[in-house]
Amino acid sequence: MKKRNRIFKFLCLLLCVFALTGCTKPITTVQDKCSVMMSLEDYDQGEKFGNYGEKSGTYTINEYAKEQGYLLPSPEFNEFMENKIVEYVSELKTYVNEKGEKPYLNQTDKYLRAIATFGGSKTYVGETSNLNYQKNELWVNYDAWLNEARNELGVEKCPDNNYVSYYKSVFNSTVSAYTTTITPVDGEFNGITLEGKTWKEAFDYGLIEGLLVYPISFLLHTFTTAFGTNGWGQILAILLVTIIVRAILILCTFKQTLSQQKMTKLQPELAKIQAKYPNSQTNQYEKQRMAQEQMALYKKHKINPMGMLIIMIFQFPIFIAVWGAMQGSAVLMTGNLLGLSLAQTTSTAMFDFSSTVCIVAWVIFLLMAAGQIVSMKVPQWLQKRRTQNVQKLGKNPSAEQSQKTMNMVNNIMIIFIIFMGLSLPVAMAIYWFITSLISLLQTYIMQVLLNKDDGKKHVKYKTKK
């Protein structure tokens, strides 16, 4: 029963951890969302309203709405909306020129049409001076023009409320899932126009977004621009950013990490203490005595048993930030690696057997999985090796149970990370693979330092003798 409770608690904790990884907000402006919506269907003189999905050959909004018996937009309604859009685009150009706002990619018609079609300013009442480009909201123009069209054309020529609700929900759900919008400069990324964000603006979305997500994304953009957006440039950028992030983490948690390595090295002595109290799981006195001797051993070697918790608390926001930056950096979505887009979901690419990119995706995924397994198992193997010489001293049920639980926790963590790797972009799988290599290098360096320290102590001891 206790074992089941521990498993249940760990699974709940793990679920909370990965749920919290979604707590970073996408650094996305209303203008970005409008641009994403515009990319879903190429409006041409208002003739394609409601044909979302036509480009990809999937079911369109109008086809579904017709089957449901909704009242579809008439040609007259489309023409009315087109005239409104053209007028609003003209007003936007005048506004930008008068206010001296930044060029917004020279106010290309496609970009401004996106804002006119899917956004709008509530302060606008036909006067340019009332426009507020920076405070656009989704669907403001559409709702206002829909009401005007119903009054001018009649409700029978305008879409009904069921159609409008479905139309909006399709676009809203799609754009809410599009988070790849972080860029420090204006530009077009995979056919979608995005406006640049500043570090100061990033803080408006949250503390983690401003303090960590944006700087990491900025580094990814800077390095990728320097190396080239040909796929390999993104790989080099991810490599450098991973090294920088891990270096900072190692420097900030070096003392605690070294303490944890010392604990691994003390496993033989801890095992001897545990062997002295075989009934500690049921006998309260033995349990207390064992805890006292363990704490005395930690104190003697200047080890903080809570070091691992400190490391986890420090690493967690970094983990969330890197996750958010990798998913949000627009520059990572450009270019491809041997034909494979780094923006593509790993599992989608792996099972796309109609293309050779599936081979590249499988190689990346298997490398990531192998790296995670080895990097997380090596500390366990080292610990087992250090305690094998004291196995004959006797078994402590409590210690054995704790060890089994720890092994199970590590195994579940490995499985969960590998599973999550399937649902994340290829860029994140590459990041995890590089991270696993750095973790292995860190473990090796720690072992060298500890062995060197042991050698010095041994020499001093012999000199005293």
Side-chain angles (χ1 to χ4, degrees), residues 131-148:
L131 275 171
N132 192 330
Y133 193 91
Q134 296 294 341
K135 292 186 179 180
N136 285 310
E137 296 181 41
L138 293 178
W139 305 111
V140 168
N141 288 346
Y142 185 90
D143 290 339
W145 296 338
L146 175 62
N147 289 330
E148 288 184 34

Side-chain angles (χ1 to χ4, degrees), residues 415-433:
I415 293 171
F416 205 86
I417 288 177
I418 293 174
F419 175 77
M420 288 299 295
L422 289 170
S423 60
L424 292 174
V426 175
M428 196 67 190
I430 295 171
Y431 166 77
W432 270 345
F433 171 65

Side-chain angles (χ1 to χ4, degrees), residues 59 61-70 72:
Y59 219 40
I61 292 176
N62 286 349
E63 289 172 342
Y64 175 83
K66 187 175 181 179
E67 286 189 2
Q68 298 302 312
Y70 300 158
L72 272 63

